[in-house]
Amino acid sequence: MAVPQVNKKLLDELEAMGFPRPRATRALHFSGNSSLEAAIEWVIDHENDSDIDQMPLVAVDINLDSPQTFHITEQMKIKAQELRTKEHKKKEVEEKKLERQREKERIRASKDLTEAKQILESNEKQRYLALKKKEKEEEKRAREKILKKLEHDKVERRSRLGLPPESPSVKPATHLLQEKTLQTSLPLKSVTNAEQMRECLRSLKRNHQNDGARVRRAFETLLIYVGNIAKNPDEEKFRKIRLTNPLFQDRVGNLRGGMEFLELCGFERTEGDEFLYLPDDKVDMEILNTAGSELKSAMTNPFFGLLSV
């Protein structure tokens, strides 16, 4: 199989009009190399053919030379321009269709990402609610245990004093006062040191949620302070922070929740508010370890501080 031989002069004329060589060759071949106008007519009739821009192949070469001089008429130029315009519009339609398809895919991907984020937020919220429920149950058991022990101690005291057992139907005013005092002295919501630290970090992140880099820098700085003290508890330089230090103010001091977090770790303000100082006798490794764990959790959990209950 070989490319058919067509009239070179007509081929050059068609290419000069903007037709690709495969299309021009195919048009001349199938129009019989009769004329330029016949070739253009063939292109118009077959413009939607899937193989119109494929070079034709034939078993036998055809060598035809036209004895005539072909001239490009104004009508031919108009038809050629119409074909180019039509082809251009067709490409524009296809490109717009492809762009719409890409936009749909972007929207679908964004929707999938949003759904995944919502699932993670829901899981985080459920975990938090479960933790709060567990804390309340523990508080209730502790309160009941204390009340039971007080009652037991009272029975023992009455027994030692030789007093008869108290009637369960009547409670003395002193007993009611004692019970009321106990209930009011027990907080309805026990706030552990870890929870207080967690709330400081949540507050810090919520108040600067549009500046993630600054929040992460604050968490990293706090972790360095805590880590240095845990590794070198006897080094006073790690337990003393100058409040007027511009670097400290930029990274921690000016962020709501940062100073409070350090105070929960045991730091105290010195007279004149010149330093934050952690006394040697108040270094508590358990508190420092808790602080380190809370900071690492806040740095690794992408949804930390974004939920509130």
Side-chain angles (χ1 to χ4, degrees):
M1 301 296 288
V3 177
Q5 294 183 7
V6 296
N7 188 288
K8 190 175 184 306
K9 185 181 291 186
L10 294 178
L11 182 62
D12 292 340
E13 294 284 354
L14 287 171
E15 287 187 307
M17 294 171 69
F19 293 106
R21 177 175 284 265
R23 186 179 298 195
T25 302
R26 183 173 286 272
L28 287 170
H29 172 66
F30 288 108
S31 65
N33 284 280
S34 58
S35 67
L36 192 63
E37 186 171 5
I40 293 175
E41 289 289 347
W42 187 93
V43 171
I44 294 173
D45 293 338
H46 297 81
E47 61 176 323
N48 293 322
D49 291 359
S50 60
D51 59 350
I52 191 169
D53 285 324
Q54 294 180 9
M55 187 66 74
L57 299 174
V58 295
V60 180
D61 292 340
I62 300 175
N63 185 9
L64 296 175
D65 291 323
S66 175
Q68 302 177 9
T69 301
F70 297 97
H71 300 284
I72 301 175
T73 64
E74 191 64 29
Q75 186 177 4
M76 293 180 184
K77 292 181 180 179
I78 292 173
K79 288 183 178 180
Q81 182 60 38
E82 288 176 352
L83 285 172
R84 286 194 293 270
T85 302
K86 193 172 182 180
E87 186 68 21
H88 180 69
K89 288 182 178 179
K90 183 179 178 182
K91 288 183 179 179
E92 284 186 344
V93 170
E94 291 176 351
E95 288 176 358
K96 288 180 180 179
K97 184 178 179 181
L98 184 60
E99 180 61 29
R100 285 196 297 269
Q101 185 64 29
R102 284 196 290 260
E103 182 64 21
K104 287 180 181 179
E105 291 176 357
R106 284 195 292 269
I107 292 173
R108 184 166 56 252
S110 176
K111 184 179 179 181
D112 292 343
L113 182 61
T114 301
E115 290 177 353
K117 183 178 179 181
Q118 290 174 347
I119 291 172
L120 288 175
E121 289 178 348
S122 177
N123 292 340
E124 173 68 10
K125 186 174 182 179
Q126 290 175 5
R127 187 196 68 80
Y128 180 77
L129 291 174
L131 179 63
K132 303 308 292 182
K133 183 179 179 181
K134 183 178 179 182
E135 287 180 357
K136 288 181 179 179
E137 291 174 351
E138 290 175 352
E139 292 161 13
K140 183 179 179 181
R141 286 195 295 269
R143 189 182 296 113
E144 291 174 349
K145 185 176 180 181
I146 293 172
L147 290 172
K148 187 175 180 180
K149 188 175 187 308
L150 287 173
E151 187 65 29
H152 179 71
D153 291 345
K154 182 180 178 182
V155 171
E156 285 188 347
R157 284 197 301 273
R158 291 182 69 85
S159 177
R160 285 197 299 268
L161 294 172
L163 298 174
E166 184 179 2
S167 175
S169 59
V170 180
K171 290 187 178 180
T174 55
H175 181 80
L176 292 174
L177 179 62
Q178 184 185 43
E179 185 175 304
K180 184 176 180 181
T181 303
L182 176 63
Q183 290 177 351
T184 55
S185 65
L186 290 172
L188 294 178
K189 182 179 180 181
S190 174
V191 181
T192 64
N193 196 269
E195 179 58 29
Q196 290 178 346
M197 291 180 177
R198 199 175 304 132
E199 185 55 38
C200 284
L201 299 179
R202 286 197 195 102
S203 174
L204 192 154
K205 187 169 184 178
R206 281 196 298 265
N207 288 317
H208 302 86
Q209 58 183 335
N210 295 327
D211 193 350
R214 191 177 186 189
V215 171
R216 183 168 186 84
R217 188 167 60 245
F219 289 170
E220 290 173 347
T221 303
L222 290 170
L223 188 59
I224 289 172
Y225 286 141
V226 172
N228 284 341
I229 298 171
K231 294 175 184 176
N232 308 279
D234 297 328
E235 291 285 344
E236 187 181 61
K237 65 179 180 179
F238 294 128
R239 295 183 282 106
K240 193 173 185 180
I241 303 172
R242 185 181 295 275
L243 291 174
T244 56
N245 186 324
L247 187 63
F248 170 76
Q249 288 296 326
D250 178 62
R251 288 174 173 261
V252 177
N254 290 331
L255 279 72
R256 182 179 176 184
M259 296 278 285
E260 292 82 351
F261 185 89
L262 289 172
E263 288 174 351
L264 288 172
C265 293
F267 279 89
E268 301 173 350
R269 293 174 185 262
T270 60
E271 293 184 7
D273 284 345
E274 185 178 359
F275 293 98
L276 269 181
Y277 183 66
L278 178 58
D280 181 45
D281 59 346
K282 289 191 176 182
V283 175
D284 189 324
M285 286 300 173
E286 184 177 352
I287 291 178
L288 294 175
N289 288 332
T290 299
S293 298
E294 293 300 329
L295 283 165
K296 290 177 182 178
S297 175
M299 293 167 66
T300 55
N301 182 358
F303 301 106
F304 179 86
L306 300 180
L307 302 172
S308 60
V309 179

